[in-house]
Amino acid sequence: MGCFNDQCFASDHCIKDVVRKIVDAQVRAAEEAATACTTSCEQSIEDLLSPTRPRRRPRHTTIPIMLICKDSCKPFVGSGFVSRDRDGGRSGHFECIESPIFKVRGFVRGSDSCVRLELLLPVGRRSGGHDQVAGVEDKHDGGYDHHIRGSFCDTFGRRRIENFRETGLCITVDLDFFAGITCLDPITPIPR
């Protein structure tokens, strides 16, 4: 589940090494897709790079991750504001987004510890077959309320999570400030 085995303690760069493997696997999966994409970080990386049939495109493109803060042993929650609608145009207002789930976009050029992460929002299926961000209710204007209330499992666990949605919101973090990483099974996120 996390990075807590003997190999991790042998290296001071456990989280950096895993995130670098995820970036490499995602790049390889995207490259393969362009030419023809038990839960652990190693298994997720292997699943991402092992399509079910030879010469078939990889099934997925992303390994979602959660990072565990050093001081609190709790999941890190990324947050920020977006002012673009789902089609990329200006929406006329800012919307706050928070999530503990990320897609690794890549290391910052010239850095071995700073990485860009895109916030991903869990998506479940509601009655009628429409997607909905898991654990939150629709606003009256047809948008989503992305604010996390209560614990992560309470917020996201109320509905079955079927996938994650890209938000377009990226943050830059220093991996030296984290004590652990959890990798989810590979997915292909729903575009924003």
Side-chain angles (χ1 to χ4, degrees):
M1 183 160 144
C3 188
F4 299 106
N5 60 30
D6 292 339
Q7 288 180 326
C8 292
F9 294 113
S11 169
D12 291 337
H13 305 291
C14 168
I15 296 172
K16 290 180 200 176
D17 294 341
V18 171
V19 171
R20 189 164 308 282
K21 286 180 184 178
I22 289 169
V23 169
D24 292 345
Q26 288 177 170
V27 167
R28 284 177 49 196
E31 287 172 356
E32 288 178 20
T35 61
C37 200
T38 39
T39 301
S40 71
C41 291
E42 290 79 13
Q43 185 62 48
S44 293
I45 292 168
E46 181 63 31
D47 289 349
L48 184 70
L49 296 176
S50 299
T52 57
R53 296 182 202 144
R55 296 186 190 189
R56 184 174 178 198
R57 284 203 257 184
R59 296 175 298 175
H60 299 294
T61 61
T62 302
I63 298 171
I65 65 166
M66 295 176 69
L67 294 170
I68 310 301
C69 295
K70 279 185 180 179
D71 342 356
S72 65
C73 288
K74 292 184 179 182
F76 169 70
V77 178
S79 62
F81 290 89
V82 294
S83 66
R84 300 210 179 265
D85 61 25
R86 291 186 183 150
D87 298 322
R90 293 276 180 192
S91 63
H93 65 279
F94 286 92
E95 180 180 356
C96 183
I97 296 176
E98 293 182 317
S99 180
I101 312 295
F102 306 98
K103 175 178 182 169
V104 180
R105 285 296 184 173
F107 279 85
V108 172
R109 189 177 310 210
S111 176
D112 70 343
S113 62
C114 290
V115 67
R116 284 183 331 278
L117 304 174
E118 179 178 4
L119 279 69
L120 298 176
L121 292 176
V123 175
R125 187 76 51 195
R126 65 178 179 196
S127 60
H130 299 289
D131 289 342
Q132 181 180 13
V133 175
V136 296
E137 301 298 324
D138 276 343
K139 290 182 183 176
H140 295 293
D141 64 2
Y144 292 107
D145 175 5
H146 300 295
H147 186 71
I148 296 172
R149 295 177 185 89
S151 79
F152 301 120
C153 291
D154 285 344
T155 299
F156 300 135
R158 292 185 191 137
R159 296 199 173 133
R160 180 173 286 169
I161 296 172
E162 294 185 3
N163 202 346
F164 291 86
R165 181 180 311 279
E166 295 175 341
T167 63
L169 176 59
C170 293
I171 60 174
T172 302
V173 299
D174 186 336
L175 295 176
D176 288 332
F177 290 94
F178 297 99
I181 185 171
T182 301
C183 298
L184 284 62
D185 290 336
I187 62 163
T188 298
I190 299 168
R192 61 183 178 109

